Amino acid sequence: MPPRARPMAADERRAELTDVTLGLLRVHGRAVTTRQIAEAAGVAEGTIFRVFASKEELVDAALARAFEPGDLVARIEGIDRDQPLSARLLDLVGVLQQRFRATFDLMLKVELVGPPRHVHDSEEAEEWRARLTLLLTDLVGEDGDQLAVPVDHFLHVLRLLTFAGSHPKVTEGRLLTPEQIVETVLLGLGRRD
């Protein structure tokens, strides 16, 4: 007999199933079954369809969750501002690379060519980009005077190189290290006295 699901509100059940499904998508890709999801969540398979209309709706919710900021803000805020700029940037690139690599791995596993539309084309996405810009500008802080370009341009280039240097297809399997990224950007965009 299938396990009896612990009673919980529909929103809570949706969140739990979404998290479980996201973990399974990272392993099985779109081939994951509702039976695997139910077993991993400790519920009967029918419980899934009490809160999701279909497996596709559940998978879509899990993929949307993968693109949420999650703990990224806290990790960036946790970077020690007393370190030299290069050390802060190394920490930042390490955080961003972990995020990018996990996202790229998932996208390859589920054969997703690009992120879901809402990730770039929504008011929420605009708000997130603005918040991230403020976080990163704060991370540079008063050391912006060490740069030969405006801080926003420097950060744009840093993020682009981190993104491209973290993608296994773009780099042809030769991923860039945080040190390579930071040295390249600081050398290219740092002030020359």
Side-chain angles (χ1 to χ4, degrees):
M1 180 171 199
R4 177 132 177 93
R6 179 176 62 82
M8 60 175 65
D11 287 347
E12 189 179 354
R13 177 73 66 204
R14 284 180 65 86
E16 176 189 50
L17 289 169
T18 298
D19 288 341
V20 166
T21 302
L22 178 54
L24 291 171
L25 285 172
R26 293 184 189 282
V27 176
H28 303 287
R30 290 186 185 273
V32 68
T33 65
T34 53
R35 170 178 257 162
Q36 290 170 313
I37 295 167
E39 287 175 2
V43 299
E45 206 168 345
T47 302
I48 295 170
F49 299 106
R50 288 190 186 94
V51 290
F52 288 98
S54 65
K55 174 189 164 189
E56 291 73 29
E57 182 183 331
L58 173 54
V59 167
D60 288 347
L63 291 174
R65 173 76 49 83
F67 287 92
E68 292 174 0
D71 69 346
L72 189 62
V73 170
R75 294 182 68 202
I76 293 171
E77 288 175 340
I79 295 172
D80 182 1
R81 297 326 197 241
D82 293 331
Q83 298 180 90
L85 177 61
S86 61
R88 292 192 311 267
L89 294 175
L90 281 172
D91 288 349
L92 172 65
V93 169
V95 167
L96 293 177
Q97 278 194 316
Q98 284 180 330
R99 168 75 176 193
F100 289 148
R101 287 179 183 166
T103 301
F104 295 148
D105 288 348
L106 175 64
M107 289 175 68
L108 289 170
K109 196 71 170 175
V110 299
E111 300 175 358
L112 194 62
V113 181
R117 169 170 266 139
H118 78 277
V119 171
H120 291 290
D121 302 335
S122 70
E123 189 174 310
E124 190 176 77
E126 284 295 322
E127 290 172 7
W128 163 242
R129 281 192 290 276
R131 182 168 186 203
L132 183 59
T133 297
L134 289 174
L135 276 170
L136 300 185
T137 301
D138 177 67
L139 187 68
V140 171
E142 295 178 7
D143 289 325
D145 63 357
Q146 296 179 28
L147 308 175
V149 296
V151 172
D152 65 329
H153 179 71
F154 175 83
L155 291 169
H156 177 72
V157 173
L158 179 73
R159 287 176 59 209
L160 281 176
L161 187 56
T162 303
F163 181 88
S166 303
H167 196 290
K169 300 283 187 191
V170 173
T171 62
E172 298 174 337
R174 297 179 303 181
L175 301 174
L176 297 178
T177 66
E179 291 79 11
Q180 290 169 321
I181 293 167
V182 171
E183 287 174 17
T184 299
V185 178
L186 282 176
L187 181 64
L189 301 177
R191 179 171 291 193
R192 294 172 186 83
D193 294 326

